[in-house]
Amino acid sequence: MKKVMGQNRRNFMKGVGMTALMSAAAGSNGAFAMGQSRGRRSKYNFDEIYSRVGVNSIKWDSAIRRYGKENITVPMGIADLDFRQMPEVVQALKKRADYDNYGYESLPASYYEAIIDWNKDRYGLEVKREWIRNSSALKPGMISSMRALNPVKGKVILQTPTYSGFTGAINKAGMRVEMNPMKKVDGRWHMDLEDLESRLDYETKCLILCNPNNPSGECWTADELRALGDVCMRHGVTVLADEIHCDYVNKGHKFTPYASIGEKYANSSISYRSPSKTFGHANLKVAYFFTQNQDLMDATMIGGGHDAGCNAFGLIACETAFREGRQWVDEVTEYVDGNFDFLVEAVNKDGNMPGIEYSKPEGTYLAWLDCNGLMAKVITPEYRKAYHDKMRDAGRRHGGLTPEMALSEWIVDACGVQLNAGSSYGIGSGGFMRMNIAIPRSSLKTALDNLSKACKMA
Ligand SMILES: Cc1ncc(COP(=O)(O)O)c(C=O)c1O
C-alpha cells in the first residue's frame, strides 16, 4: 500500500488516459463511439459522457466532496445510472412543468394501466388494478409491511450478502435483522434453506427476498423461489419480494417474478417495484407494490410507514417510461451486459488484476468483486491504523471501521476509483467490493485500467 499511497498520485495517474472526471467536466459533447457496436441501429447513445457534477448527485458530488475533485476519477458507488434520461420522459416532464399549477392531484387510471401493461408485456405477469398501492420509494412500502406483519421488535430475515439498505429499513420498522448467509458454489451464490429453517420461530414472520440479488446478481429460478416459499409457508412467514432490479437481466438468464410461481406463493407475498433503478428515476420518488392477498395489503396500509404522496412529476415519468421505454430498456440492458463482458475480460486477463476474482453475474448493473487477495496484501494493521487516525483527525466516523472500508479508501487513494465496501452487505461479504457499472464504456475502461495498475503495484 505504501508504494501506492506514498507516491504522488498525479504521477501515478499519468499515462492512464483521459479521466472520466475530465471527460464528464467537458460536458455532453465528448461522446465516445466504443460500446455500441450492435447490429441493429441504436436509438439511444449510452457511450455519451454525461456530466453529473454540480447537481448534488450522491454518486459524483458526495464522492468529490469527501475525497476532493482531483482524487476522484470514476465514482462507482450508489446504484443509479450515469446515462442521459430517456428523451421521451424529459419531454413529458417539460410539458407538465409548463402547466404552472402544482396543486393536489389524484393518481390517474392511466398510471395504473401503464404498470399493468408493463408487467404483462415484460414478464407475462397479470397484476390487477386493485392489488396495487404506491409509495415514494421502495423501502417505505416495505417498512409498512414489516410493521404490520412481524411481531413488534421481531426478526426479519435477510439472505446475505444482500442490499445494505435493508438493515436500515428493518431498524426503522422497529425490527432486528436475522441473517441467513448464502453459500457460494462455483461462482454463484445459493440460498441455504436448512440454515433458514433453523432460524424461523415465533419472532420471525417476514423474509426479504432480493431478486435479482443486489449485490451478487442472481436471478432466482422458479424452482429456487418455490423451495424458498415452501419453507416460508411452513412457518407462516410472508415473503417481501424486492424486485427493483428486475429489468437488468444478462443474456441467457431470466427474471422470474415471485408472484408468478404459483397461486399459494403469490398469496403469501408482497412484491415491491419501482422505475427508479430501471430508468434512473430515483429522485423522482415513485414506487409501487402489489399483492393479490387483500389481508396482507390491508395490514400494510395500516403499517403506516409508507408515503402514498407520489409527486406529479414522478408519476408522469413513471407512466411515460413504462409506455414508451421498451426499446430504451432493451438497449440499456444490452449495453450493461456488454459492460459486464468488458469487466470480466479485464479482471481475468492473465495477470491484469492480481488479487481480484470475478465471474459474470445473471442480472443487475452491480459487480460483486472478490478482492480478498488484494485486501490481504494491502490492508495491513499499519494501514488500518493510519486509516483510523485519518478518519478521526478529519472528524469523520471512526468507530466500526472495517477492513473493506479501509480497502475502499486504499482504492480511491491508489487510483481514483470509488467502490462500495462489501462489509455493509452482511455475512459472507468479507473482502468483497461492489462496483456500479451502469456507466459509459470509456469510463469503465478508465476505471479498470487504473485499478489494474494499482493491483499490479500493490
Ligand atoms: C435491492 C434494492 N432495494 C431497494 C433500494 C432502494 O430503493 P428506494 O430508494 O426506492 O427505497 C435499492 C437501492 O439501491 C436496492 O438496490
Side-chain angles (χ1 to χ4, degrees):
M1 147 265 153
K2 280 208 179 81
K3 271 184 286 178
V4 178
M5 228 187 168
Q7 76 176 31
N8 180 334
R9 202 178 150 271
R10 280 183 197 282
N11 286 342
F12 168 73
M13 297 307 298
K14 252 191 216 161
V16 165
M18 185 165 65
T19 67
L21 179 60
M22 281 148 59
S23 319
S28 57
N29 296 329
F32 288 77
M34 65 174 298
Q36 291 178 294
S37 56
R38 295 186 287 275
R40 69 179 155 74
R41 229 178 117 67
S42 307
K43 184 170 171 193
Y44 306 99
N45 178 15
F46 302 104
D47 282 331
E48 180 184 356
I49 301 287
Y50 186 74
S51 176
R52 299 183 62 200
V53 177
V55 293
N56 295 320
S57 78
I58 292 178
K59 187 155 176 261
W60 282 87
D61 290 321
S62 300
I64 287 170
R65 257 197 308 277
R66 173 163 181 179
Y67 297 104
K69 195 167 181 169
E70 66 287 359
N71 296 317
I72 284 292
T73 308
V74 191
M76 305 176 90
I78 196 163
D80 62 17
L81 312 176
D82 276 359
F83 305 130
R84 197 185 268 276
Q85 182 54 226
M86 262 177 67
E88 295 83 349
V89 167
V90 177
Q91 279 307 317
L93 290 177
K94 282 182 176 163
K95 193 168 157 204
R96 178 62 187 84
D98 280 345
Y99 174 69
D100 44 5
N101 182 292
Y102 309 115
Y104 294 114
E105 293 174 24
S106 56
L107 275 67
S110 56
Y111 159 76
Y112 290 101
E113 282 156 16
I115 292 175
I116 290 165
D117 291 348
W118 182 263
N119 274 278
K120 192 171 271 170
D121 288 358
R122 302 296 290 194
Y123 335 113
L125 181 69
E126 192 191 342
V127 180
K128 294 199 171 131
R129 160 68 188 89
E130 61 270 24
W131 298 350
I132 306 171
R133 297 291 183 280
N134 309 283
S135 55
S136 58
L138 186 140
K139 280 178 289 182
M142 200 175 249
I143 289 170
S144 287
S145 302
M146 288 190 281
R147 280 191 189 154
L149 303 172
N150 217 42
V152 172
K153 297 189 177 154
K155 298 182 290 183
V156 177
I157 300 280
L158 291 182
Q159 299 175 291
T160 63
T162 197
Y163 169 53
S164 50
F166 288 142
T167 298
I170 291 169
N171 292 336
K172 232 180 223 167
M175 313 287 159
R176 290 129 64 204
V177 173
E178 175 77 12
M179 294 192 209
N180 163 221
M182 296 194 283
K183 289 183 170 160
K184 196 175 177 195
V185 183
D186 296 332
R188 186 182 191 270
W189 293 82
H190 294 264
M191 298 178 185
D192 184 344
L193 299 184
E194 228 175 274
D195 176 82
L196 171 64
E197 190 134 32
S198 74
R199 292 174 190 277
L200 299 181
D201 59 13
Y202 70 98
E203 285 195 293
T204 319
K205 295 295 156 205
C206 292
L207 173 143
I208 297 180
L209 165 73
C210 194
N211 182 27
N213 191 46
N214 169 6
S216 51
E218 290 72 27
C219 294
W220 303 112
T221 65
D223 283 348
E224 285 173 317
L225 294 173
R226 283 192 198 107
L228 171 72
D230 290 341
V231 173
C232 288
M233 275 186 283
R234 269 204 296 282
H235 294 268
V237 168
T238 302
V239 172
L240 310 180
D242 178 329
E243 299 178 337
I244 199 168
H245 291 277
C246 64
D247 291 305
Y248 286 82
V249 177
N250 287 331
K251 282 186 205 84
H253 299 283
K254 182 174 176 256
F255 161 64
T256 306
Y258 192 83
S260 73
I261 57 173
E263 184 70 11
K264 61 183 179 181
Y265 304 96
N267 211 34
S268 57
S269 66
I270 307 175
S271 303
Y272 303 82
R273 302 270 190 78
S274 164
S276 67
K277 299 293 158 195
T278 305
F279 297 100
H281 288 186
N283 221 34
L284 285 163
K285 297 291 169 208
V286 166
Y288 68 99
F289 49 99
F290 59 91
T291 176
Q292 66 176 50
N293 183 328
Q294 192 62 45
D295 292 339
L296 289 182
M297 187 54 87
D298 288 347
T300 294
M301 297 316 282
I302 57 168
H306 77 287
D307 170 9
C310 299
N311 72 87
F313 290 92
L315 291 168
I316 284 173
C318 177
E319 181 177 337
T320 307
F322 281 158
R323 288 207 181 286
E324 301 180 40
R326 285 168 180 74
Q327 185 174 347
W328 192 90
V329 174
D330 288 345
E331 289 192 19
V332 78
T333 51
E334 194 173 344
Y335 190 86
V336 167
D337 189 295
N339 274 0
F340 274 119
D341 288 336
F342 193 82
L343 168 66
V344 167
E345 200 188 322
V347 174
N348 293 306
K349 212 162 36 183
D350 237 5
N352 194 45
M353 262 186 225
I356 300 187
E357 288 179 22
Y358 188 60
S359 54
K360 190 173 175 181
E362 297 164 6
T364 78
Y365 47 76
L366 305 163
W368 189 231
L369 303 172
D370 183 343
C371 300
N372 273 289
L374 180 63
M375 196 168 84
K377 263 198 274 180
V378 300
I379 305 306
T380 57
E382 296 78 43
Y383 185 88
R384 286 189 73 181
K385 181 178 181 325
Y387 170 57
H388 166 272
D389 293 353
K390 186 174 155 190
M391 292 295 106
R392 183 199 56 204
D393 296 347
R396 302 192 70 88
R397 183 165 74 83
H398 52 281
L401 298 179
T402 63
E404 291 77 13
M405 291 176 190
L407 183 60
S408 177
E409 188 84 2
W410 184 89
I411 293 172
V412 169
D413 196 43
C415 65
V417 172
Q418 193 233 332
L419 307 178
N420 291 126
S423 40
S424 48
Y425 297 77
I427 296 173
S429 305
F432 282 80
M433 302 295 285
R434 196 188 76 167
M435 173 186 270
N436 174 357
I437 64 161
I439 62 176
R441 186 88 33 94
S442 59
S443 307
L444 181 61
K445 181 175 179 342
T446 303
L448 298 177
D449 287 349
N450 291 5
L451 196 53
S452 166
K453 279 201 170 193
C455 289
K456 285 174 187 165
M457 288 172 61

